[in-house]
Amino acid sequence: MPKSIPADSVGLVTPLTEHFDEPLELVCGRTLPRFDLVYETYGKLNAKRDNALLFCHALSGDHHAAGYHSMEDRKPGWWDNHIGPGKAFDTHRFFVVCPNNLGGCKGSTGPNTTNPETGRIYGPDFPLFTVKDWVNSQKQLMDSIGINQWAAVVGGSLGGMQVIQWAIDYPDKLRHALVIAAAPRLSAQNIGFNEVARQAILSDPEFHGGHYYEHNVVPHRGLMLARMLGHITYLSDDAMRAQFGRDLQTGRLSYDFDVQFQVESYLRYQGSSFVDRFDANTYLLMTKALDYFDPGADFENGLAEALSQTEAKFLVIAFTSDWRFSPARSKEIVKALTDAQRQVSYAEVESSEGHDAFLLPNSYYTDILNAYMARV
Amino acid sequence: MSLLRSDLAIIKKWITPGSRVLDLGCGNGALLRVLRDERHVEGYGLEINQKNIVSCLQSGINVIQLDLDKGLDDFDDQAFDYVIMTQTLQAVHFPDHLLQEVLRVGKQGIVTFPNFAYWKNRLQIGLQGKMPVSRALPAQWYESNNIHLCTIKDFQQLCRQRHVKIKEKVILDHAHRASAPITFLPNLLGQIAIYRCQQEESLLN
């Protein structure tokens, strides 16, 4: 709980909801007849309406990127490190927009909301979303707010993929693209991890084919396992060694399957608390969107050709200990951009914290963002 | 590595306006800034030093964090009109390999380096018996990034061995002028060497 709101915080914020009656045609062939997008904004849109930043969230993120919802909040929004007055994404200068993606579970239309055509909760009937669909829905939000061009579109991980898609699909709608800890498409290993996570959920007896809402249960075990597995891939070997080592909970081995090592306790806690704040159908949908992302696949010559039509200036950032989306994956993006003769800068941040590093404080990372954003 | 104003001015003259440029070890982006503003070039700087990378970003220079010792694998053959390497050749692990990479990726290469055979360096080594410290070699031996210092003769010999054609060269004296006596005794009187070169065509695919 913040005793008082820090001076460099955007302060107390309230999510907004925008309703859309225009049907949204999806890559999967289905149509979402109408939908709500929940989003937050920080700062003020200027008279020329050209100071807006769009933030795209990652797999388990949401619209709450900065500030606090109430004085009782334990933690601020997920990117409070960098968004706020005087910070890299300076809310004195910029108007920040961060929506909850469709298919999410934090208020935007998704599996846990009511299907207007049936009056029942969507559940597993909610269509599978792709990164391209999210970008199209964000474009509708952009139009309804009345923004002609984003000063920058920014995102980490799955959010970074949305940034790439924005630059490809709406080249003249953004001036800068900040792609952080992302990849141009998933590797077989990445898809493998996602598949194990999905199987954990799908095989939970309380999943009920995705209709668990009607049974007043949640696939607690499955979603918890999915998150425990995911969490390991977001950390690095070094970070886990430093944080837990082989430390024991009780100081001695008990020769049974109870929690003994601290890392077990930590992962169980992380998994369990995730179940309280996240929806299993959303998790399935988000991992599928990750698996399907491959913007180069639509072009004969791959990613470089896909990016050759972009107009934005790119900043790509990777973290040395990130093995989920390693620096080599970011370099693929950079290579495609240089091959396509686009404007790009690339920085590799030394960090021991794995994929999660993109959310954590780091002085070089902050310097990079500050330096770059000063010219946006 | 700080870029001396005089070699900057010479390089600027050699660059055709509107060309594509890759600057290896671009430092704080000073050269690229001049080339962008006055020659309208497009391109990237490659740099490994964090402070320099932040400076480049502050100036709006496209900079890519990369260790030159790992080569230029991420760049295709002849992708740039010029690949520039100012005061960097002597600071990498494999200068001969990097020179070939420069001329693979660039249609032309521009290379500058401090001439170790400059007479004042010879005096410091020969008479004082100490590693030279000068305007062109400002660091003490234990702080220096320069691990493969060479002379004008050495460089030209490497170019001959590797079939590198020297298109143009300027040798600057202690005042960083290209004075008349230098033409006769470049390896003795020259402090800074600036070359524009090309891979002989038979070696390019």
Side-chain angles (χ1 to χ4, degrees):
Chain A
M1 173 189 355
K3 283 207 184 71
S4 60
I5 301 283
D8 62 355
S9 166
V10 298
L12 288 175
V13 293
T14 310
L16 305 164
T17 303
E18 190 74 26
H19 181 73
F20 298 86
D21 279 317
E22 282 281 295
L24 185 67
E25 290 189 13
L26 306 175
V27 172
C28 67
R30 293 174 61 188
T31 303
L32 202 60
R34 46 186 171 273
F35 60 92
D36 289 338
L37 274 179
V38 169
Y39 65 105
E40 288 184 4
T41 71
Y42 324 115
K44 285 201 179 95
L45 187 59
N46 65 12
K48 284 165 72 186
R49 309 179 89 80
D50 66 355
N51 69 330
L53 307 177
L54 174 69
F55 282 78
C56 304
H57 69 71
L59 194 158
S60 60
D62 56 28
H63 50 279
H64 186 39
Y68 300 85
H69 284 157
S70 84
M71 295 304 282
E72 274 71 53
D73 284 1
R74 211 165 45 85
K75 283 194 277 183
W78 54 269
W79 231 9
D80 199 78
N81 285 337
H82 299 302
I83 303 170
K87 295 180 185 172
F89 305 108
D90 187 347
T91 48
H92 285 317
R93 290 179 58 213
F94 296 111
F95 175 66
V96 172
V97 179
C98 183
N100 179 215
N101 281 354
L102 288 172
C105 50
K106 297 300 170 72
S108 291
T109 301
N112 66 349
T113 62
T114 304
N115 180 348
E117 282 168 351
T118 63
R120 292 172 59 197
I121 288 186
Y122 273 110
D125 301 329
F126 195 81
L128 277 192
F129 260 72
T130 64
V131 168
K132 207 177 172 67
D133 298 321
W134 281 328
V135 168
N136 288 335
S137 68
Q138 290 158 0
K139 171 68 169 50
Q140 293 208 20
L141 180 65
M142 175 188 194
D143 293 341
S144 74
I145 299 175
I147 295 161
N148 288 326
Q149 189 185 50
W150 301 107
V153 180
V154 187
S157 193
L158 176 57
M161 294 172 168
Q162 293 162 60
V163 178
I164 296 171
Q165 195 74 53
W166 258 102
I168 293 170
D169 289 353
Y170 298 102
D172 58 339
K173 294 295 174 193
L174 63 159
R175 296 195 292 280
H176 294 270
L178 277 69
V179 180
I180 303 169
R185 57 181 176 184
L186 292 202
S187 65
Q189 188 194 47
N190 292 150
I191 296 173
F193 279 123
N194 282 345
E195 174 58 7
V196 175
R198 280 191 295 269
Q199 285 304 324
I201 294 169
L202 293 168
S203 60
D204 187 321
E206 298 200 320
F207 183 62
H208 298 287
H211 293 288
Y212 47 88
Y213 317 94
E214 294 155 30
H215 295 78
N216 286 319
V217 290
V218 289
H220 182 275
R221 302 295 310 170
L223 185 55
M224 179 176 156
L225 282 175
R227 183 59 173 179
M228 286 168 76
L229 174 71
H231 209 88
I232 296 170
T233 71
Y234 305 146
L235 301 174
S236 70
D237 190 18
D238 283 346
M240 291 181 85
R241 186 179 299 122
Q243 199 174 344
F244 312 108
R246 293 178 52 86
D247 293 352
L248 298 172
Q249 286 288 93
T250 56
R252 60 185 183 83
L253 297 176
S254 57
Y255 299 96
D256 57 27
F257 297 113
D258 285 342
V259 166
Q260 292 165 55
F261 292 98
Q262 281 185 10
V263 64
E264 296 173 311
S265 159
Y266 172 81
L267 287 174
R268 287 190 196 191
Y269 171 78
Q270 287 295 332
S272 178
S273 62
F274 188 65
V275 174
D276 298 335
R277 68 178 177 91
F278 214 76
D279 180 79
N281 281 317
T282 291
Y283 201 87
L284 293 175
L285 180 150
M286 293 275 176
T287 57
K288 269 294 177 193
L290 274 163
D291 292 0
Y292 287 160
F293 180 71
D294 186 3
D298 301 337
F299 297 83
E300 201 179 321
N301 296 315
L303 189 63
E305 191 184 344
L307 291 168
S308 66
Q309 58 193 328
T310 63
E311 293 171 23
K313 203 170 166 178
F314 279 77
L315 173 64
V316 179
I317 302 176
F319 298 87
T320 51
S321 59
D322 183 351
W323 57 282
R324 185 85 193 227
F325 293 153
S326 72
R329 308 309 313 282
S330 283
K331 282 186 191 163
E332 289 174 35
I333 301 168
V334 174
K335 173 161 173 48
L337 284 163
T338 56
D339 285 352
Q341 307 193 359
R342 303 293 91 192
Q343 299 215 55
V344 56
S345 287
Y346 168 67
E348 205 167 293
V349 178
E350 187 87 37
S351 162
S352 62
E353 285 145 331
H355 187 56
D356 265 355
F358 86 90
L359 294 166
L360 300 170
N362 176 303
S363 63
Y364 179 41
Y365 183 28
T366 305
D367 289 348
I368 293 162
L369 293 177
N370 277 328
Y372 191 86
M373 289 309 294
R375 295 186 66 93
V376 168
Chain B
M1 208 79 26
S2 78
L3 185 73
L4 302 161
R5 301 179 67 93
S6 37
D7 59 351
L8 189 147
I10 288 157
I11 293 169
K12 193 177 82 182
K13 269 194 274 178
W14 284 351
I15 301 279
T16 313
S19 47
R20 283 178 56 73
V21 166
L22 188 67
D23 185 0
L24 312 192
C26 67
N28 63 11
L31 174 64
L32 280 173
R33 212 159 51 227
V34 170
L35 295 179
R36 176 192 66 190
D37 296 343
E38 299 178 29
R39 284 289 180 272
H40 312 290
V41 304
E42 286 194 11
Y44 315 95
L46 306 183
E47 182 54 59
I48 192 161
N49 178 281
Q50 295 187 359
K51 238 172 95 182
N52 283 335
I53 288 164
V54 171
S55 294
C56 286
L57 294 175
Q58 268 160 353
S59 324
I61 295 294
N62 294 321
V63 62
I64 294 171
Q65 184 165 343
L66 187 125
D67 181 356
L68 293 176
D69 281 326
K70 303 220 166 111
L72 300 176
D73 289 352
D74 287 340
F75 298 96
D76 291 342
D77 294 358
Q78 307 289 288
F80 294 87
D81 298 310
Y82 302 94
V83 176
I84 306 174
M85 192 161 51
T86 55
Q87 312 288 320
T88 300
L89 187 71
Q90 75 285 355
V92 298
H93 277 109
F94 307 102
D96 55 336
H97 178 243
L98 189 59
L99 179 64
Q100 284 188 303
E101 281 286 274
V102 162
L103 299 173
R104 175 185 67 79
V105 171
K107 292 170 188 154
Q108 296 191 40
I110 294 174
V111 178
T112 81
F113 58 88
N115 174 30
F116 199 67
Y118 175 57
W119 67 275
K120 281 191 183 169
N121 296 344
R122 297 189 195 202
L123 279 184
Q124 287 185 55
I125 276 232
L127 293 181
Q128 289 179 290
K130 296 184 78 175
M131 280 300 280
V133 176
S134 66
R135 191 171 148 197
L137 297 169
Q140 291 290 341
W141 64 272
Y142 48 85
E143 295 168 330
S144 175
N145 293 321
N146 300 330
I147 52 177
H148 286 292
L149 286 159
C150 69
T151 70
I152 287 169
K153 270 191 186 166
D154 292 329
F155 181 76
Q156 294 187 174
Q157 189 181 11
L158 180 68
C159 288
R160 273 194 305 277
Q161 284 168 356
R162 302 296 163 97
H163 307 283
V164 172
K165 198 159 111 194
I166 293 167
K167 306 271 289 181
E168 206 167 347
K169 72 173 175 194
V170 174
I171 310 295
L172 301 175
D173 66 10
H174 65 285
H176 296 156
R177 290 174 315 223
S179 59
I182 279 197
T183 326
F184 304 105
L185 293 165
N187 202 33
L188 184 66
L189 300 178
Q191 193 173 24
I192 302 280
I194 311 168
Y195 287 86
R196 185 162 65 84
C197 43
Q198 213 170 31
Q199 192 70 63
E200 280 178 16
E201 297 205 358
S202 59
L203 293 174
L204 289 171
N205 296 322

